Amino acid sequence: MSASLSEPRVLGEPRVGVWLIGARGSVATTVVAGCAAVTAGLHGPTGMVTETDVFSGCGLPPLTSLVFGGHDTVDCPLPKRAEALAAGGVLPHGLPSAVSAELAAADREIRPGGPAPGDTREPAELIAAFAADITDFVRRHGLDRAVVVNVASTEPAPTGDVLPASSLYAAAALSAGCPYVNFTPSTGLHHAALTSLAESSRLPYAGRDGKTGQTLLRSVLGPMFAQRALAVRAWSGTNLLGGGDGASLADPAAAAAKNAGKERVLADTLGAAPEGEVHIDDVPALGDWKTAWDHIAFDGFLGTRMVLQTTWQGCDSALAAPLILDLARLASRAHDAGLSGPLSELAFYFKDPVGQAPAGLGEQYVALASLAARFRPAPAPGSGSTSVPAPGSARGSVSGSGEAAL
């Protein structure tokens, strides 16, 4: 853990809001609890790329400066949600009580989301109401800025001109003057009706669909097959997961939206989409844990047929939470630096990134490192240059206090 995180907030230090859509879900709860645990020195920042040497001296807002709030349609308090996650092994035993004050403070800043069943307000009224919640949050806490991050359950692709909930929240974020990050496969800013707003807002935005497990591995293996001139004949996959995400993805339309990004990675890295599909099965007993299995059939020299199988088992919230903290800090810094439009350099984090970006993880990491270099102030004359560390290098140890790195 970097020394700066364990120190109390410096008087006059910029404060940054993180407004979470789906603020009482598993991922959001893990984000809030995890940030509090790291800043208190209870655990290290395992999984946070922004805590490696690549981002040293980039002016990212420290974790101590983050203030949390959000929208949600459920009313389970964050402390109780955290207790349930600890009981399921998602959060360390005892952590909810250790950071109960931080969880309660964030819970007080969660406002009712929507549209709720029977809500007759027009889209413009909903957008204005959501934006007012965000601007009120910024004003009351004296924040320098806020970043809106969508971590809600996946919604089906919209039909017609109706703005889905994710697009209402995205429009509210821009209307409130906030950078926007879509960590879900939901439509968000990808709706045609929001194109002009995204362009005229002159705000940075990023997304979509966080890359935490199966697709992360695909973005590494796809380029490997292409670079070694091995012919992939078929690539099939299965996902087993429970929790809220499993329940929402039991809807075939929502699952289709999720799978589109997974399949796009293969088409982009291999040059064409191979045969095979991805299946998503809801297994409620798994809770927040998921298993992803891939079966890859490929041809080698002289047409020799071979197979590679992979199995990925992980905790969805623990995989996603450090990325959310990374993205909130990066989007805030981009806003502070005057960047606007799609942040294609953040493709490293997404299945279906906005803007023009490579699909392979290695190339995406290089682009991310280049963004870090842009954020870093130019060295004073005669002070020498600073090289960008290789992937995997870190500032101190990020292995955590007995935590297992997935």
Side-chain angles (χ1 to χ4, degrees):
M1 183 178 67
S2 68
S4 65
L5 297 185
S6 62
E7 298 170 356
R9 189 174 69 86
V10 177
L11 186 63
E13 179 182 82
R15 305 184 75 204
V16 174
V18 181
W19 190 264
L20 300 165
I21 308 304
R24 290 194 171 108
S26 296
V27 172
T29 305
T30 306
V31 167
V32 176
C35 184
V38 173
T39 58
L42 301 176
H43 291 270
T46 306
M48 289 189 64
V49 181
T50 53
E51 283 300 300
T52 62
D53 281 342
V54 171
F55 286 93
S56 177
C58 287
L60 299 181
L63 295 181
T64 52
S65 74
L66 303 184
V67 182
F68 295 95
H71 282 114
D72 209 323
T73 56
V74 300
D75 56 9
C76 178
L78 279 182
K80 183 175 288 294
R81 182 70 177 136
E83 290 171 3
L85 291 176
V90 177
L91 295 179
H93 177 71
L95 183 61
S97 60
V99 299
S100 60
E102 290 86 347
L103 288 166
D107 192 69
R108 289 192 294 270
E109 297 300 332
I110 298 176
R111 300 294 178 261
D119 194 332
T120 59
R121 287 178 292 178
E122 294 294 321
E125 295 177 281
L126 288 165
I127 292 169
F130 295 154
D133 289 336
I134 300 169
T135 55
D136 179 62
F137 169 69
V138 171
R139 178 188 58 78
R140 286 185 295 101
H141 288 279
L143 305 177
D144 290 76
R145 61 179 48 81
V147 177
V148 176
V149 186
N150 183 10
V151 291
S153 298
T154 301
E155 65 186 14
T159 57
D161 297 329
V162 177
L163 285 176
S166 65
S167 295
L168 296 175
Y169 289 123
L174 300 187
S175 298
C178 299
Y180 171 77
V181 177
N182 187 2
F183 202 74
T184 80
S186 300
T187 303
L189 282 180
H190 277 65
H191 200 287
L194 301 185
T195 301
S196 60
L197 175 61
E199 292 175 350
S200 63
S201 70
R202 301 193 63 79
L203 290 164
Y205 55 88
R208 64 182 168 166
D209 200 1
K211 186 164 55 186
T212 60
Q214 184 181 46
T215 310
L216 176 66
L217 193 57
R218 287 181 167 208
S219 68
V220 174
L221 293 177
M224 179 197 74
F225 282 107
Q227 291 162 5
R228 290 297 297 268
L230 297 171
V232 175
R233 292 184 291 106
W235 197 316
S236 302
T238 295
N239 281 263
L240 307 176
L241 71 162
D245 210 22
S248 66
L249 293 174
D251 179 347
K258 184 78 171 180
N259 285 338
K262 293 178 179 288
E263 294 165 357
R264 188 172 296 111
V265 168
L266 296 183
D268 289 346
T269 57
L270 297 174
E275 292 182 10
E277 298 179 348
V278 178
H279 298 276
I280 299 177
D281 295 329
D282 178 26
V283 185
L286 293 181
D288 204 55
W289 301 81
K290 64 181 180 182
T291 297
W293 171 75
D294 272 18
H295 183 282
I296 308 159
F298 65 99
D299 290 344
F301 191 52
L302 304 179
T304 305
R305 296 201 162 187
M306 293 174 271
V307 169
L308 171 65
Q309 296 185 48
T310 66
T311 302
W312 178 286
Q313 294 177 301
C315 174
D316 200 42
S317 296
L319 289 165
L323 309 186
I324 301 300
L325 292 170
D326 277 353
L327 288 163
R329 301 172 82 191
L330 291 165
S332 173
R333 181 69 180 94
H335 190 206
D336 182 47
L339 301 185
S340 64
L343 295 173
S344 58
E345 296 91 345
L346 301 187
F348 179 78
Y349 293 97
F350 299 105
K351 297 183 183 73
D352 184 19
V354 297
Q356 299 298 316
L361 191 71
E363 294 173 289
Q364 291 174 344
Y365 182 86
V366 171
L368 182 64
S370 72
L371 180 65
R374 291 176 64 189
F375 287 159
R376 192 175 294 112
S383 63
S385 60
T386 302
S387 60
V388 176
S393 64
R395 179 162 66 250
S397 170
V398 294
S399 59
S401 304
E403 295 175 290
L406 295 176

